[in-house]
Amino acid sequence: MSTDQDKTQYHESPNRKHALKDYRNIGIMAHIDAGKTTLTERILFYCGVNYKIGDTHEGTATMDWMAQERERGITITSAATTCYWKNHRINIIDTPGHVDFTAEVERSLRVLDGAVAVFCSVGKVQPQSETVWRQAQKYHVPIVALVNKMDRTGADFDGVVTEIHTKLGATPVPLMLPIGREADFKGVIDVLENKCVYFDEKDNGVTMTEEEPTGDLKARQEAAYKHMVECLAEVDDEIMEIFLADEMPSHDQIKAALRRATLAAKIVPVACCTAFKNKGVQKLLDVVVDYLPSPVDIWDIKGTNPDNGEAITRHVGDLQPFAALVFKIMTDPFVGKLYYFRVYSGVASQGMSVYNPRTNKRERLGRLLQMHANQRVEQQEIFSGDIAAAVGLKNVTTGDTICLEEKPIVLESMAFPEPVISIAVEPKSSGDRDKLSKGLVALAEEDPTFQVRSDEETGQTIISGMGELHLEIILDRLVREFKVEANTGAPQVAYREALCGASDSNMKFVRQSGGRGQYGHCIINLIPGERGSGIVIENKVVGGNIPKEYIKPIEQGIREAAASGVLAGYSLIDFKVEIIDGSYHPVDSSEMAFKVAGSMALKDAAKKAGIMLLEPIMKVELTTPDENMGDLIGDITSRRGTIVEINAGENSFTRVHANVPLSELFGYATAIRSLSRGRASYSMEPAHFERVPKQVQDKIVEKK
């Protein structure tokens, strides 16, 4: 493998302003209210992009540009921006922390090279922290951990480091230690550089002063330095050899080993700060530049050849064939649809013709825009390793690859969770029907976890999403962006149907209507699958009893029948079908007849096997004053919840972990406020599906 220098010299365009090795594509990710957006505001301020610090609580944060974000003080949509630190170009995506908007985190992490995981020094590792951590691991994204809010009462840096190890299974290595805690937090000890760094409050922390650590601070620095070397010796061969020789590695050797171990996800560097009080953010930027990967470190870009499905590899660089991944679509009121994309190889230029392997169609890149939240700067070219937005694409959806037609490649796409909650919507006036339909379609194109369908029985429009807040935001956007108001029904849980056992079916579909008739006949075995295995269909027909051209229609019929459900109209999931035999008629058989036969066979076999309903179970974390704990636990139990763990916290607060059916959690926010007089708080995320109790299932089926 060639050196980084060889790579950049050989593959860089002379038009580039920054070398590829000096790029950092990072995401800021965390549990809700850990301080992601506040941190991003400080980064933009210290990098000279903003001359005034925005505030989430006042609704002035640059990255929270949507009206709904400014009103609620939360991040709803991931926002991209670019800044510069020490001659490095940093592309940042600020992602939401609320579980309802998990798709934003998923698609952002897919195109990022590194991530900063922010932890609240008081809340430590919270449920959504675990979720985003798993998402980052899925896409092999190296992580730097930041313990934020060190000025808060109850701040516990060591407690967060311990939980990163115990709850997330990582090896945290503190590169910084806090000087003082809670209201006395003054600055940080830089463990590797052996310096105490203090930040001047009068100029928003811009002026930093450095001092040699003494006394207790020196002892803490030495202990952390020793721990750092020991951790590196366990995961890095070069440091291990030096360590075994009873020598101490040099500063440069440790720094190089820290970078290698971080890129290989063998360790997680840990920094600390209080973003709100402007202390420690610049040192975090140093850590990002020093230890998170550049696109050159992700040298091999793996994909498949759309013509034959074979694995192929591209390399990063401007002189390589063009390939990019579209990871997000947004409707902009001024320029129309914006298609966010990450260029992995080659260069995108305005007016360039690109190819979409999924549709086998050519597209034209119109305007190319560098995004700063919702502000746009037009560019002529977007180079390898960069993130930008395009206008003018047509048949492109989230997760599509765009590339050169003569050098096609399909890059790995993203997988999104299924919606768990649905409501019926209808326009308030009949004249708004078309506007409502257009608005819902546009929003569904933007958000892969938001789905729209029509209920065949009632004719109602049903919208589905990841939670009550998700659908509330969708309805709010309909009013503000599409100028259409909708009436809504009560929320409905997206149950699933599953098989109780195995069975078979021998099904004929025969129709005679004077002329040519319809004839389809198939015999199937139906077998329940493991949770998450999906629908597997296997053709075991021998001897040509069913011609090959009719197998696909049978599969189609089976899948369509599964989607509409057998027991109560919910999707039937996780099963295997073996098509073992059947027969056909040389004149009357058709694709439609076999499709109907496949559909009928699945429903017949499923009824024989027995159907159970599955319901989404939410992992709930509740932080409550000790005096209200009994009432809140009683409330969870009354909602069919199961208590998993109870942890005594600080300051007379307790943390309760529970699994509760989603159907029992509607209106929970109001109940928890009432039971604790507004002092308790909670967060939840989807955990898994579980069988619905018999009496509850009977009621659901009866309603349907």
Side-chain angles (χ1 to χ4, degrees), residues 306-333:
D307 298 330
N308 53 27
E310 287 178 4
I312 51 176
T313 302
R314 287 273 164 83
H315 295 306
V316 173
D318 302 330
L319 308 184
Q320 290 283 331
F322 173 73
L325 186 75
V326 176
F327 67 96
K328 179 181 168 88
I329 299 171
M330 275 192 64
T331 305
D332 186 291

Side-chain angles (χ1 to χ4, degrees), residues 122 124 154 156 163 622-626 629 646-656:
V122 182
K124 305 187 181 73
D156 182 3
E163 285 200 1
L622 186 65
T623 305
T624 170
D626 293 348
M629 186 172 73
I646 298 175
N647 296 324
E650 294 180 12
N651 307 319
S652 302
F653 272 78
T654 298
R655 213 187 283 186
V656 178

Side-chain angles (χ1 to χ4, degrees), residues 33-49:
D33 209 27
K36 296 177 300 301
T37 303
T38 302
L39 172 67
T40 311
E41 290 300 315
R42 291 341 184 246
I43 289 172
L44 295 177
F45 175 72
Y46 295 123
C47 290
V49 176

Side-chain angles (χ1 to χ4, degrees), residues 511-560:
R511 287 283 184 277
Q512 287 301 137
S513 53
R516 180 181 168 181
Q518 295 283 356
Y519 182 93
H521 174 212
C522 64
I523 302 172
I524 65 166
N525 284 338
L526 182 61
I527 307 152
E530 295 287 322
R531 286 283 165 271
S533 61
I535 299 172
V536 179
I537 301 174
E538 200 175 319
N539 176 21
K540 290 195 166 181
V541 178
V542 291
N545 288 353
I546 303 176
K548 278 188 177 172
E549 63 265 26
Y550 294 139
I551 298 297
K552 202 84 176 160
I554 295 173
E555 284 189 23
Q556 211 176 340
I558 289 168
R559 290 185 188 278
E560 285 183 12

